[in-house]
Amino acid sequence: MKVNFVELIVGAIVLVVAGMFFSYAYQSNRPTHGFPYKVTAKFDRVDGILVGSDIKLRGIKVGEVTSLNLDGHKFEAVVTFGFSSDLGLPTDSSAEISSEGLLGGKYVAIVPGVNEAKIPNGGEIVYTQSSVSLETLISKYIFNSGSKDS
């Protein structure tokens, strides 16, 4: 049995490149919890939001979702955000779940308020707007279009 060294070297290079690709993909998709400034918000629905989802302020990523929990008393979704420590959000800021497009992923958009006071580390964003389900909107349009109210 004759060993072809060219095929052996090409195969080794392919394996090394594939390993580097998978390593990069794993590192880039892993949530980083290195955000020292944590803020929570309560939503009715958080469809499409996962741990590691982006937090954007005016279209710029400023943090990510670090945890998702369920409030056992009011049955609301409690979302914890992680930000860099230099971002001070005003107390009247709001958070809304937005979509990147018709079929795109979802992220949390922060709309800053105008208050001078800042939300402390571990504080809560009070004003929230939940996720809107595309299926619910379509079904409301279809089933309400046939009825004519006078």
Side-chain angles (χ1 to χ4, degrees):
M1 176 181 242
K2 186 176 176 184
V3 177
N4 190 349
F5 287 109
V6 175
E7 289 178 358
L8 185 67
I9 291 173
V10 170
I13 291 173
V14 167
L15 288 176
V16 168
V17 169
M20 290 172 37
F21 172 75
F22 285 120
S23 173
Y24 173 75
Y26 176 74
Q27 292 293 329
S28 65
N29 286 331
R30 192 180 63 188
T32 58
H33 298 290
F35 297 108
Y37 183 61
K38 305 273 188 203
V39 176
T40 61
K42 295 180 180 177
F43 294 92
D44 292 331
R45 300 178 62 100
V46 289
D47 297 334
I49 297 296
L50 303 169
V51 173
S53 293
D54 291 344
I55 308 297
K56 294 184 180 183
L57 180 72
R58 307 231 191 260
I60 299 172
K61 181 179 176 179
V62 294
E64 63 186 34
V65 174
T66 58
S67 71
L68 294 168
N69 296 310
L70 186 64
D71 181 10
H73 298 293
K74 295 183 179 179
F75 299 106
E76 293 177 321
V78 180
V79 181
T80 304
F81 311 133
F83 298 104
S84 61
S85 59
D86 59 345
L87 183 70
L89 292 174
T91 55
D92 60 342
S93 297
S94 65
E96 57 188 41
I97 297 178
S98 299
S99 178
E100 291 179 356
L102 186 59
L103 299 175
K106 296 207 175 182
Y107 64 94
V108 180
I110 302 294
V111 180
V114 294
N115 230 347
E116 291 292 325
K118 305 293 182 194
I119 299 174
N121 188 12
E124 182 179 355
I125 297 177
V126 180
Y127 307 108
T128 61
Q129 181 178 352
S130 296
S131 174
V132 177
S133 171
L134 183 62
E135 294 86 10
T136 305
L137 290 175
I138 291 172
S139 67
K140 282 184 182 179
Y141 177 75
I142 291 172
F143 294 120
N144 287 338
S145 65
S147 64
K148 295 185 179 181
D149 296 329
S150 4

